[in-house]
Amino acid sequence: MNAIFLLLLIILASILVLAQPKEGGRIPYFTLTAVGRDGKNCTLSSTSLTGRTVLIAFYAYWCPHCNKELPELAAAWNQCSKGGDVAILVGLGGNSTRDYDLFKKYALDGWYFVPENYTFAKLFGIKGIPTVIIADGNGVVRQVNVGEAGRGKYCIGINLAHIKSTQNNTVPIPCEQNKSKPPLIPLELAVALVIIALITIAALIRIRGKF
């Protein structure tokens, strides 16, 4: 019985760590390598993006809904974004070249491409594409869209992020040009794995002690 209870705790811990951010919640800590509109590599982190409205889109080149939504995102960005806003587009199509080609077709100022970072997708609990998350300058999620939404709804999310932000950062380039290597796995995921490992070890010791 105790072993079953501990197993349930392990499963619950995993679900909590990988849950998709909800509106009003905070985006998780992250550091990742991205490609700018100019083709240069840079490092983005949740810390370096403080004070900026951040849009994170998960998509794939073969997804018909994604192909429909990227031009809608571009139209909303043209209409509603401000200097210093950042869009991170994460390609999950299994072919980074084709995902990047789709990114380049619509890329605007402030857009960055992340190729096939499934760890990042798991960190955000992504269950379907396209998924678009918009957060304000304080890291608070203001809008989550799964599936088709349209430029009007994206504009509402971007404007809400601008209004709700208590910080302002209009410097157009947020990248720290490869000053340091990003961690292999996000901090939250690493902590969760350590906790799960400790719980598992404790369970095994307890079970072993009964024999």
Side-chain angles (χ1 to χ4, degrees):
M1 181 64 71
N2 288 332
I4 294 174
F5 177 72
L6 288 171
L7 180 60
L8 290 174
L9 284 178
I10 293 172
I11 295 172
L12 178 61
S14 301
I15 292 173
L16 288 174
V17 169
L18 302 178
Q20 182 171 291
K22 298 292 188 294
E23 292 178 7
R26 288 189 171 274
I27 60 172
Y29 172 83
F30 65 85
T31 300
L32 48 77
T33 299
V35 180
R37 186 186 179 192
D38 57 3
K40 295 180 180 179
N41 291 333
C42 60
T43 299
L44 294 174
S45 73
S46 49
T47 301
S48 68
L49 296 175
T50 298
R52 305 173 189 277
T53 289
V54 178
L55 183 152
I56 305 173
F58 298 87
Y59 74 100
Y61 73 89
W62 45 258
C63 164
H65 300 294
C66 302
N67 278 271
K68 185 176 180 179
E69 286 304 283
L70 256 63
E72 293 295 302
L73 275 176
W77 198 258
N78 268 326
Q79 182 179 346
C80 302
S81 70
K82 296 180 179 179
D85 291 352
V86 170
I88 302 172
L89 278 76
V90 186
L92 302 175
N95 185 321
S96 57
T97 299
R98 296 190 68 177
D99 279 337
Y100 183 59
D101 286 342
L102 183 59
F103 165 83
K104 286 195 300 183
K105 185 176 180 180
Y106 300 106
L108 299 167
D109 289 340
W111 283 36
Y112 298 87
F113 172 72
V114 177
E116 298 193 50
N117 192 324
Y118 298 102
T119 300
F120 187 60
K122 289 179 181 178
L123 178 64
F124 280 82
I126 301 304
K127 297 179 177 63
I129 51 174
T131 294
V132 178
I133 298 168
I134 301 174
D136 65 23
N138 306 304
V140 177
V141 176
R142 294 302 174 186
Q143 190 181 83
V144 178
N145 295 298
V146 180
E148 296 181 14
R151 68 190 70 183
K153 191 168 184 182
Y154 295 134
C155 263
I156 291 173
I158 293 170
N159 288 332
L160 184 61
H162 290 156
I163 293 169
K164 293 292 184 179
S165 178
T166 60
Q167 303 190 52
N168 183 34
N169 195 335
T170 58
V171 178
I173 301 176
C175 291
E176 300 168 355
Q177 293 287 341
N178 293 325
K179 290 181 180 179
S180 60
K181 294 183 178 179
L184 295 178
I185 59 175
L187 179 61
E188 285 87 347
L189 186 57
V191 172
L193 291 174
V194 171
I195 293 173
I196 291 171
L198 291 174
I199 293 175
T200 303
I201 293 171
L204 291 174
I205 293 174
R206 185 160 186 169
I207 293 172
R208 197 171 182 182
K210 293 182 178 181
F211 295 94

